[in-house]
Amino acid sequence: MIKVTLKDGSVKEFEAGLSVYEIAKSISEGLARNACCGIVNNKVVDLRFQINEDVSLGICTFDNQEGKDAVRHSISHVLAYAVKKLFPEVKLAIGPSITTGFYYDFDKDVAFTASDLEKIEAEMQKIIKENPEISRFELPRNEALELMKDEPYKVELINDLPKDETISFYKMGDFTDLCAGPHLMSLKPVKAIKLTRSAGAYWRGDEKNKMLTRIYGTAFLKKADLDEFLEALEEAKKRDHNKLGRELGIFTTDEKVGQGLPLLMPKGAKIFQTLQRWIEDEEAKRGYVLTKTPFMSKNDLFKASGHWDHYKDGMFILENEGDDSEVLALRPMTCPFQFTVYNAEQHSYRDLPIRYNETSTLFRKESSGEMHGLIRVRQFTLAEGHIVCTPEQVEEEFRGVIDLIDYVMSTLGIASDITYRFSKWDPNNTEKYINNPEAWESTQNQMRVILDHLNINYTEAEGEAAFYGPKLDIQFKNVHGKEDTIITVQIDFALAERLGMSYIDKNGEKKIPFVIHRSSIGCYERTIAMLIEKYAGAFPTWLAPVQAKVLPISDKYNDYADSVVKALRNKGVRVEADYRAEKIGYKIREARLERTPYILVVGEKEAANNEVSVRSRKNDDEGAIKLDVFIERILSEIANKER
């Protein structure tokens, strides 16, 4: 007999050798009927998985993300099955589940058309209706390679597996695929599927590899849930910053400029400037001192900091003609530059903490398959900062950083949309990190204590740390459900020593300081993308690139409209006027489409009484208001950063 600790903490005894499904069935027929997979000792497993020792066990239904993943991973195999039936010459790559569905990558000479997707989806429906038996089996490496000999991508995956790795397959009808699982016991519960789009994707995300065709889809157990998802998907498309940002004239791209190098148009530049001035002023209030450092450096600096060893592949390296001994690189981060500023003077413990900030233009060699709008680019601007402090000051300074981030996120209106991830090193991948296990454990424990003191609700992720220390990542999901890091806070135990940083303590001894790497708003481009999607382009008045638009009813009132514009502009309000000889209804509709917070219509009555007829996003038609009263109102709204 074995003991199984269930999710509610209860312990039950079962015969050894029972599967997760059999244990679920012994607990409840309903649970077994709805089960999608299991979690044994924190590892997601197939319902077929046999338990032979004492374990902790969770049974996952579609209500759990793990259950959704098992369903959608199973349907990704149905997609591959359907494609092979319709297009037998196509080669299979990979087909994982993702947060909102699944995808499968295929090698096909000509990309799938919209008509092809319709045929594939119909074939998938047919397979699901037939409900072929699903079985799992394992093979030794040589037999696995023989089975997959006609699938070159599968052969590559098998050859890359560790020698002791179990090589498992799933068979569905007469279709077999290399897969670790988990999968459903049966396709019968799946009542609703949809293929949503296709796109290009490099094999293994490497632009040096072949471009494959990726088909995205999703699956649900109820048609009503699929309908709700598709409705949300349409709303997401409307809010997608890559589409909406261009339509609203916030940014553009051009092939002659290059991929991952967006150009901010006047409206986008104004949003950027507004955010930057706010952040720099707020950081100054909190004791930060500004630096301005070069966009590039000799690689000697990056060698000293360790970036050359751990980050070289992500850097743009420049050749210095006529001097083979000097290699220059565009900076991917600012820390070694600000540390060099620190080293320009000898510091006492009385000087610490020193809080440096800089609005930094940075460059990272992102692969073409990863770049997307303003979210992932090759040149970006970061509200970067580094706090140099004594060991005793670390927790208080960390607390101050979190307080600043909380203020920024709350003011932007996205505090409730973010999550926290404690990113740790991977002790099994020491090449990726500075190899000092004792320092890693000590620093990670210190950060965990600080996070717990701050009552931050966080998840832990192994292998996501910076190469020089653990970090707190602030995560945000875009409208399509993809999660990105928008801000990081890092405790650094290594770079200060590597770059010779020191301070004189109260006993006159030279000591190595601690360093906290941080941002306050993150990458401005990514933040603007996030805000476009959050507000569907209808920015709060204080952030809106155009805060008010003045619309004269006819050209007879252009002079009065001009005086209204001057009065607002003199008070710092971002205002435009529409003097076109168009009907007023047309001009109002255009201003609304531009998401302008305030539309000010002026005609004979308004000109006579020094008024403006106000239409606001919040209240629609508000009628005539004295101009000076309106100016006072909008200035208060901007100053208080109202949403």
Side-chain angles (χ1 to χ4, degrees):
M1 300 296 287
I2 58 170
K3 292 181 179 180
V4 175
T5 304
L6 299 175
K7 205 170 183 180
D8 62 2
S10 63
V11 179
K12 296 196 174 189
E13 287 195 347
F14 297 94
E15 288 184 20
L18 291 180
S19 68
V20 173
Y21 176 77
E22 288 168 325
I23 291 176
K25 193 172 182 181
S26 74
I27 297 170
S28 160
E29 288 281 352
L31 178 61
R33 190 166 51 251
N34 293 311
C36 300
C37 64
I39 300 179
V40 174
N41 293 339
N42 297 317
K43 181 181 179 182
V44 180
V45 299
D46 199 289
L47 291 172
R48 302 163 183 82
F49 183 82
Q50 291 184 336
I51 300 176
N52 294 296
E53 59 186 7
D54 294 352
V55 296
S56 64
L57 172 65
I59 308 294
C60 300
T61 68
F62 196 75
D63 292 335
N64 310 110
Q65 185 61 47
E66 294 85 356
K68 289 182 175 69
D69 290 343
V71 169
R72 290 162 177 168
H73 192 183
S74 302
I75 302 304
S76 78
H77 279 230
V78 174
L79 166 59
Y81 191 3
V83 167
K84 289 298 277 188
K85 278 190 167 190
L86 296 170
F87 308 93
E89 76 284 358
V90 167
K91 301 302 178 186
L92 305 177
I94 57 171
S97 62
I98 53 178
T99 306
T100 58
F102 59 86
Y103 67 78
Y104 210 110
D105 289 346
F106 302 96
D107 187 351
K108 186 175 182 290
D109 290 339
V110 180
F112 293 103
T113 64
S115 175
D116 290 336
L117 293 190
E118 289 178 8
K119 292 174 185 174
I120 294 167
E121 187 177 305
E123 187 64 32
M124 291 173 67
Q125 298 279 15
K126 184 178 173 183
I127 292 169
I128 292 170
K129 188 175 181 180
E130 291 170 353
N131 191 24
E133 181 184 353
I134 302 172
S135 58
R136 180 185 184 277
F137 63 93
E138 298 173 5
L139 289 177
R141 186 177 296 267
N142 61 333
E143 292 182 32
L145 290 169
E146 176 63 24
L147 180 62
M148 292 284 108
K149 64 183 179 182
D150 295 327
E151 297 288 351
Y153 299 99
K154 304 295 183 182
V155 168
E156 182 178 328
L157 292 171
I158 293 169
N159 284 327
D160 285 349
L161 291 172
K163 289 183 178 180
D164 58 348
E165 187 80 11
T166 299
I167 303 176
S168 61
F169 296 83
Y170 280 83
K171 193 174 190 315
M172 182 184 292
D174 58 2
F175 173 73
T176 301
D177 201 356
L178 173 73
C179 186
H183 281 286
L184 295 176
M185 302 281 283
S186 163
L187 298 175
K188 189 177 179 181
V190 183
K191 304 299 182 186
I193 65 164
K194 184 67 181 176
L195 297 183
T196 52
R197 63 188 176 99
S198 64
Y202 291 108
W203 169 235
R204 293 188 154 182
D206 188 338
E207 60 187 342
K208 296 175 185 175
N209 292 334
K210 187 172 183 179
M211 174 72 79
L212 306 177
T213 299
R214 176 172 294 176
I215 297 178
Y216 288 91
T218 193
F220 290 87
L221 304 188
K222 298 176 184 176
K223 185 179 183 303
D225 291 340
L226 174 62
D227 292 341
E228 185 180 332
F229 171 80
L230 293 176
E231 188 177 325
L233 191 63
E234 285 305 308
E235 178 63 23
K237 288 178 183 176
K238 294 176 187 175
R239 288 174 174 262
D240 188 334
H241 87 278
N242 212 9
K243 175 178 180 289
L244 190 55
R246 297 169 196 272
E247 291 174 354
L248 293 175
I250 293 172
F251 77 98
T252 189
T253 52
D254 191 287
E255 289 182 3
K256 294 186 291 293
V257 175
Q259 196 175 14
L261 298 170
L263 298 96
L264 291 183
M265 298 174 77
K267 288 182 178 179
K270 181 54 67 176
I271 297 168
F272 188 113
Q273 183 188 59
T274 302
L275 290 170
Q276 180 182 339
R277 287 176 172 175
W278 168 50
I279 292 298
E280 288 183 349
D281 288 348
E282 183 61 32
E283 288 176 338
K285 290 177 189 174
R286 295 175 184 245
Y288 284 84
V289 291
L290 196 64
T291 64
K292 190 71 176 171
T293 56
F295 286 9
M296 67 180 76
S297 166
K298 290 167 58 178
N299 67 342
D300 294 8
L301 180 65
F302 300 119
K303 285 180 179 178
S305 67
H307 289 95
W308 198 252
D309 291 334
H310 295 279
Y311 215 91
K312 181 181 177 183
D313 290 344
M315 297 169 68
F316 288 101
I317 299 167
L318 311 175
E319 293 183 8
N320 191 8
E321 291 184 16
D323 187 355
D324 295 335
S325 65
E326 185 174 78
V327 176
L328 297 172
L330 295 175
R331 64 181 183 183
M333 63 284 294
T334 310
C335 40
F337 295 86
Q338 289 195 329
F339 298 166
T340 303
V341 170
Y342 177 88
N343 283 340
E345 301 173 294
Q346 178 62 63
H347 296 278
S348 160
Y349 72 95
R350 294 188 183 89
D351 301 327
L352 304 186
I354 296 176
R355 307 182 188 105
Y356 294 115
N357 69 310
E358 182 166 335
T359 304
S360 310
T361 301
L362 304 176
F363 307 85
R364 295 185 185 175
K365 195 189 289 184
E366 299 283 0
S367 65
S368 58
E370 291 292 318
M371 287 180 289
H372 175 63
L374 295 176
I375 288 178
R376 195 169 290 276
V377 292
R378 285 176 169 159
Q379 176 184 308
F380 60 96
T381 310
L382 185 65
E384 198 166 6
H386 299 89
I387 300 170
V388 186
C389 60
T390 68
E392 297 79 18
Q393 294 168 334
V394 169
E395 180 163 349
E396 185 178 349
E397 290 304 308
F398 198 101
R399 184 183 296 273
V401 169
I402 299 302
D403 183 70
L404 172 58
I405 292 170
D406 285 347
Y407 164 70
V408 171
M409 296 294 102
S410 297
T411 304
L412 293 176
I414 56 179
S416 61
D417 301 316
I418 61 174
T419 57
Y420 296 91
R421 184 180 73 189
F422 175 25
S423 296
K424 305 181 296 182
W425 84 313
D426 180 359
N428 297 315
N429 188 4
T430 53
E431 290 184 5
K432 184 179 175 182
Y433 305 99
I434 290 175
N435 189 13
N436 187 338
E438 186 177 333
W440 274 105
E441 291 305 313
S442 172
T443 309
Q444 287 181 173
N445 289 338
Q446 183 181 19
M447 182 177 274
R448 186 180 288 105
V449 167
I450 293 172
L451 295 178
D452 291 342
H453 285 172
L454 291 171
N455 293 317
I456 290 176
N457 184 21
Y458 60 88
T459 59
E460 296 193 16
E462 195 169 274
E464 295 293 336
F467 75 84
Y468 47 76
K471 58 194 175 90
L472 177 67
D473 291 324
I474 287 85
Q475 306 290 104
F476 186 91
K477 288 183 180 178
N478 69 14
V479 289
H480 300 294
K482 184 180 182 301
E483 187 172 272
D484 285 296
T485 300
I486 56 168
I487 296 174
T488 66
V489 186
Q490 304 155 15
I491 297 180
D492 176 1
F493 62 81
L495 296 195
E497 183 174 10
R498 289 181 70 105
L499 289 169
M501 298 170 70
S502 65
Y503 68 94
I504 306 301
D505 73 3
K506 61 180 65 176
N507 298 318
E509 296 180 4
K510 187 176 284 191
K511 294 291 179 68
I512 299 168
F514 266 71
V515 175
I516 298 174
H517 304 241
R518 49 104 280 183
S519 181
S520 49
I521 196 173
C523 159
Y524 282 97
E525 290 82 357
R526 185 172 287 184
T527 299
I528 290 171
M530 181 175 63
L531 292 170
I532 292 171
E533 295 185 351
K534 170 72 177 179
Y535 293 107
F539 296 99
T541 302
W542 74 276
L543 264 181
V546 177
Q547 295 165 326
K549 198 148 193 174
V550 181
L551 311 181
I553 289 175
S554 71
D555 57 7
K556 289 192 296 184
Y557 307 106
N558 283 356
D559 288 345
Y560 179 64
D562 193 44
S563 69
V564 171
V565 168
K566 287 178 180 177
L568 286 163
R569 196 167 283 159
N570 285 340
K571 293 294 185 178
V573 178
R574 297 190 287 274
V575 59
E576 291 180 353
D578 186 347
Y579 296 116
R580 293 177 300 167
E582 299 282 358
K583 291 183 178 180
I584 192 64
Y586 176 81
K587 292 199 281 189
I588 290 171
R589 283 193 299 275
E590 289 249 306
R592 280 177 171 160
L593 287 174
E594 293 170 0
R595 277 63 164 187
T596 309
Y598 288 99
I599 300 168
L600 309 178
V601 178
V602 295
E604 182 179 6
K605 176 176 172 294
E606 288 80 15
N609 298 315
N610 199 31
E611 294 175 339
V612 287
S613 185
V614 177
R615 283 170 169 80
S616 68
R617 281 200 314 239
K618 288 182 181 178
N619 305 318
D620 199 20
D621 190 349
E622 299 186 27
I625 298 175
K626 288 290 185 182
L627 177 59
D628 57 351
V629 172
F630 174 76
I631 290 175
E632 186 178 341
R633 167 182 161 181
I634 194 172
L635 289 178
S636 174
E637 186 176 336
I638 293 167
N640 293 321
K641 296 181 172 59
E642 295 177 20
R643 297 198 303 275

